[in-house]
Amino acid sequence: LYSFTHVPGKGMGIVANYYIRRGTRIISDAPLFKIPNYTSDQAAITSYVTKELKGKTKDEQRMFLSLFNAYPGEYMPFYGITKTNALPLGPDSEDAGLFLTVARLNHSCSPNANHTWNSNTGTETIHAIRDILRGEEITICYIGSDKSCRDREGRRKDDKRRVEIEKLDEIVGQGDLLLLNASTALKSCRTMLRLMDEDRIYDKRVSRIYYDAFQICIANGDVARASAFARKTVEERVLCEGPDAVGLGDQKAFIENPQSHRLAGLSNIWKTGLGDIREYDDQEEFNVWLWKR
């Protein structure tokens, strides 16, 4: 699906050899080695990496040494290469991994691919989050959030859409809004999705927003819409992380049984049942029903 090539102004990168559809798993990369994610002890990391590399093939050693080092002269080479390229093995993980293929992917604040650590497969997976054209560079966002991306590169200071997305995300994140002003919380979810679509943002935040909408609905007794939002959550996670995504089975269960969620029964102000789910041939009509609250 891809090849390594020189990208003007960026050094080495990865480009698509063919047209790649959104949701395609492009790369599944096992770590060359794992290191503690919480230490900055140069000597300890260098010693550990040296020991790990001795057990690798000559090709793997050469590939490691050819990776970009953002800290030449500042740190010892092995430490600099590792610090530049290692990725955490999931959120809040105590370990990080060095991935020889994924390390070749360049950063973008508007990436066309999503990277996720999959503990089920023991690999870092890369999925297309929008259609990628033949010859187009495949990019990921190195940084955890769009806010930090903007702060780092100073490219988004005038981007009102992304600022608004952040504000709305903070509003939805206020747990008491689930019951005190559920309609406002749900409207914020819909507005975020619209703004993200306008900015061509289709990463794993989309599934998280649908999951927020699911929780808002089930907390207020709307079982029908909760089930529909659970389905949307699963569909988006499969596109961004694959059908073997960690925890996907639990979220699939909410499609058939939304009441099994811990927030079910907090309120019945929007009470519906699974039998109240509406089926429409037209997607727009379905969306009108889905977001009616």
Side-chain angles (χ1 to χ4, degrees):
L1 286 178
Y2 60 88
S3 58
F4 303 98
T5 188
H6 179 79
V7 179
K10 294 183 178 182
M12 290 299 294
I14 294 180
V15 298
N17 288 338
Y18 307 95
Y19 174 83
I20 302 175
R21 289 189 178 277
R22 181 180 182 231
T24 300
R25 176 169 290 178
I26 306 171
I27 298 168
S28 183
D29 198 9
L32 180 66
F33 56 77
K34 299 178 184 179
I35 58 169
N37 195 31
Y38 52 81
T39 181
S40 57
D41 186 329
Q42 280 194 64
I45 293 295
T46 298
S47 175
Y48 179 83
V49 172
T50 301
K51 182 179 179 181
E52 286 291 314
L53 288 176
K54 285 181 179 178
K56 306 303 178 184
T57 67
K58 294 295 184 183
D59 282 344
E60 289 173 330
Q61 292 173 359
R62 279 192 289 266
M63 288 178 70
F64 171 81
L65 292 171
S66 70
L67 294 177
F68 180 65
N69 181 0
Y71 309 96
E74 185 177 351
Y75 297 125
M76 289 180 266
F78 282 9
Y79 180 79
I81 292 173
T82 303
K83 183 176 174 65
T84 301
N85 296 283
L87 290 171
L89 305 184
D92 305 316
S93 174
E94 294 187 352
D95 294 313
L98 193 291
F99 305 91
L100 290 177
T101 300
V102 171
R104 290 297 187 189
L105 292 165
N106 286 314
H107 166 80
S108 172
C109 280
S110 297
N112 53 22
N114 180 74
H115 68 97
T116 305
W117 169 250
N118 188 323
S119 59
N120 290 333
T121 61
T123 59
E124 187 79 5
T125 60
I126 306 297
H127 289 81
I129 56 175
R130 58 175 183 257
D131 292 351
I132 301 174
L133 301 178
R134 180 181 179 181
E136 184 179 351
E137 185 182 9
I138 302 168
T139 58
I140 59 174
C141 182
Y142 291 166
I143 315 167
S145 72
D146 189 62
K147 181 179 185 299
S148 56
C149 182
R150 184 174 62 255
D151 292 344
R152 180 188 179 190
E153 298 190 3
R155 296 177 56 213
R156 305 290 184 185
K157 290 181 179 177
D158 298 321
D159 193 330
K160 295 180 180 179
R161 276 197 297 262
R162 298 201 177 198
V163 171
E164 184 66 15
I165 290 169
E166 288 170 19
K167 289 180 179 178
L168 292 169
D169 192 38
E170 291 176 3
I171 290 173
V172 175
Q174 299 171 11
D176 54 355
L177 208 64
L178 282 172
L179 298 174
L180 296 179
N181 203 336
S183 294
T184 295
L186 199 59
K187 183 179 179 180
S188 296
C189 289
R190 188 178 193 184
T191 303
M192 275 193 287
L193 289 171
R194 177 179 58 79
L195 292 172
M196 290 173 71
D197 183 58
E198 290 174 359
D199 223 15
R200 299 185 70 207
I201 300 172
Y202 304 116
D203 58 23
K204 52 192 173 187
R205 283 174 290 178
V206 175
S207 65
R208 183 166 58 81
I209 293 170
Y210 277 125
Y211 189 67
D212 285 340
F214 159 78
Q215 293 184 102
I216 294 166
C217 287
I218 197 59
N220 290 277
D222 194 339
V223 173
R225 289 177 178 82
S227 174
F229 280 125
R231 187 178 299 279
K232 289 277 192 181
T233 300
V234 169
E235 290 171 351
E236 288 296 327
R237 283 204 67 195
V238 169
L239 285 171
C240 281
E241 303 175 57
D244 52 7
V246 176
L248 190 66
D250 294 336
Q251 292 180 325
K252 280 183 177 180
F254 293 141
I255 298 173
E256 300 298 329
N257 187 16
Q259 299 99 316
S260 63
H261 191 273
R262 58 183 177 80
L263 295 178
L266 290 180
S267 167
N268 283 313
I269 193 171
W270 290 349
K271 187 175 182 179
T272 64
L274 286 177
D276 296 311
I277 297 176
R278 301 289 181 86
E279 299 290 341
Y280 295 95
D281 293 330
D282 183 78
Q283 186 62 40
E284 286 302 315
E285 289 183 5
F286 176 75
N287 284 333
V288 169
W289 171 81
L290 183 61
W291 295 101
K292 185 176 181 180
R293 299 297 186 186

